[in-house]
Amino acid sequence: MKEDLAKCLETLQNGGLILYPTDTVWGIGCDATNVDAVKKVYALKNREDSKALICLVANDAMLERTVEQVPDVAWDIIDLATKPTTIIYDQPKGVAKNLIAADNSLAIRIASDDFCRNLIQRFKKPIVSTSANISGAPTPAQFSEIDHRILEGVDYVVNLHREKTNPSPSSIIKLGNDGTVKVIRE
């Protein structure tokens, strides 16, 4: 794991893309504060940049640094969630402008996977996490199903958990600073 962490850190710091196992599905990642790196993710996925991406943070403190306000209900959802849960927050800050949705929101998940959490803590910044597929294609349930264009389009591929099958993406809940709660994906 140490070698993978070191290579991922180097790649992220240089504005590159990584392919890595997350607490849900295999993900394409980059520095969430780097506009050019985020553009590379959209280009690789052949995805419109109007479709928002998910961002991973390492802990509560990093979450609080990434949004203007964490609604109280978010802490309850995070504490009670029985599976990885992504929350869409209003008024993100300190991230690449092209990562923020048109309504000034950002989908963020606190990573529960040890490798992801370690990586993000060492990087000291949020990272992008989007499923490792070309836009419109099915999300790969395991490493062996990842399209060759994705494998060839990233700068580093993590060597961990390649045999793991985890077909379940995270739940997604949108929270408004006005108290609204909307389930986007269960």
Side-chain angles (χ1 to χ4, degrees), residues 4-6 20 23 25 35 38 58 60 86 93 98 106 133 176 178:
D4 277 319
L5 283 171
Y20 66 111
D23 45 0
V25 296
V35 170
V38 173
D60 295 356
T86 300
K93 61 182 182 178
N98 55 344
L106 178 62
N133 61 314
D178 61 359

Side-chain angles (χ1 to χ4, degrees), residues 31-35 38 53 55-57 62-63 65-67 91-101 104-108 125-128:
D31 176 353
T33 68
N34 183 323
V35 170
V38 173
L53 301 172
C55 183
L56 293 182
V57 296
M62 189 177 284
L63 172 62
R65 288 192 303 270
T66 309
V67 294
Q91 298 176 297
K93 61 182 182 178
V95 296
K97 297 280 185 244
N98 55 344
L99 194 56
I100 299 171
N104 196 29
S105 67
L106 178 62
I108 304 172
K125 292 189 270 187
I127 63 173
V128 165

Side-chain angles (χ1 to χ4, degrees), residues 55-128:
C55 183
L56 293 182
V57 296
N59 50 42
D60 295 356
M62 189 177 284
L63 172 62
E64 290 176 327
R65 288 192 303 270
T66 309
V67 294
E68 286 294 329
Q69 174 189 344
V70 178
D72 289 339
V73 70
W75 300 119
D76 294 333
I77 292 169
I78 291 166
D79 289 343
L80 298 172
T82 56
K83 70 181 244 182
T85 301
T86 300
I87 299 176
I88 301 172
Y89 297 92
D90 287 339
Q91 298 176 297
K93 61 182 182 178
V95 296
K97 297 280 185 244
N98 55 344
L99 194 56
I100 299 171
D103 67 353
N104 196 29
S105 67
L106 178 62
I108 304 172
R109 183 169 73 250
I110 298 174
S112 58
D113 174 80
D114 287 339
F115 175 79
C116 289
R117 195 172 320 137
N118 262 321
L119 174 61
I120 300 163
Q121 282 174 331
R122 290 176 188 210
F123 189 53
K124 296 182 174 57
K125 292 189 270 187
I127 63 173
V128 165

Side-chain angles (χ1 to χ4, degrees), residues 1-185:
M1 179 166 23
K2 281 184 179 182
E3 183 181 334
D4 277 319
L5 283 171
K7 298 263 191 195
C8 283
L9 283 171
E10 180 182 343
T11 302
L12 293 170
Q13 288 161 349
N14 291 323
L17 304 185
I18 61 171
L19 181 64
Y20 66 111
T22 72
D23 45 0
T24 57
V25 296
W26 273 83
I28 300 167
C30 72
D31 176 353
T33 68
N34 183 323
V35 170
D36 292 331
V38 173
K39 282 180 188 174
K40 290 179 190 176
V41 173
Y42 282 116
L44 177 59
K45 285 183 66 82
N46 194 23
R47 183 175 174 153
E48 293 176 36
D49 62 6
S50 60
K51 288 189 164 191
L53 301 172
I54 291 174
C55 183
L56 293 182
V57 296
N59 50 42
D60 295 356
M62 189 177 284
L63 172 62
E64 290 176 327
R65 288 192 303 270
T66 309
V67 294
E68 286 294 329
Q69 174 189 344
V70 178
D72 289 339
V73 70
W75 300 119
D76 294 333
I77 292 169
I78 291 166
D79 289 343
L80 298 172
T82 56
K83 70 181 244 182
T85 301
T86 300
I87 299 176
I88 301 172
Y89 297 92
D90 287 339
Q91 298 176 297
K93 61 182 182 178
V95 296
K97 297 280 185 244
N98 55 344
L99 194 56
I100 299 171
D103 67 353
N104 196 29
S105 67
L106 178 62
I108 304 172
R109 183 169 73 250
I110 298 174
S112 58
D113 174 80
D114 287 339
F115 175 79
C116 289
R117 195 172 320 137
N118 262 321
L119 174 61
I120 300 163
Q121 282 174 331
R122 290 176 188 210
F123 189 53
K124 296 182 174 57
K125 292 189 270 187
I127 63 173
V128 165
S129 179
T130 183
S131 56
N133 61 314
I134 303 296
S135 192
T139 299
Q142 56 196 14
F143 181 82
S144 62
E145 296 174 8
I146 297 172
D147 189 294
H148 72 92
R149 293 171 290 181
I150 299 291
L151 293 167
E152 293 164 6
V154 297
D155 300 293
Y156 183 73
V157 179
V158 172
N159 290 303
L160 300 170
H161 308 302
R162 290 192 177 185
E163 71 295 332
K164 186 171 118 180
T165 302
N166 195 352
S168 179
S170 67
S171 298
I172 300 178
I173 299 171
K174 182 166 177 44
L175 296 182
N177 286 344
D178 61 359
T180 58
V181 177
K182 181 178 179 185
V183 176
I184 307 293
R185 179 172 70 202

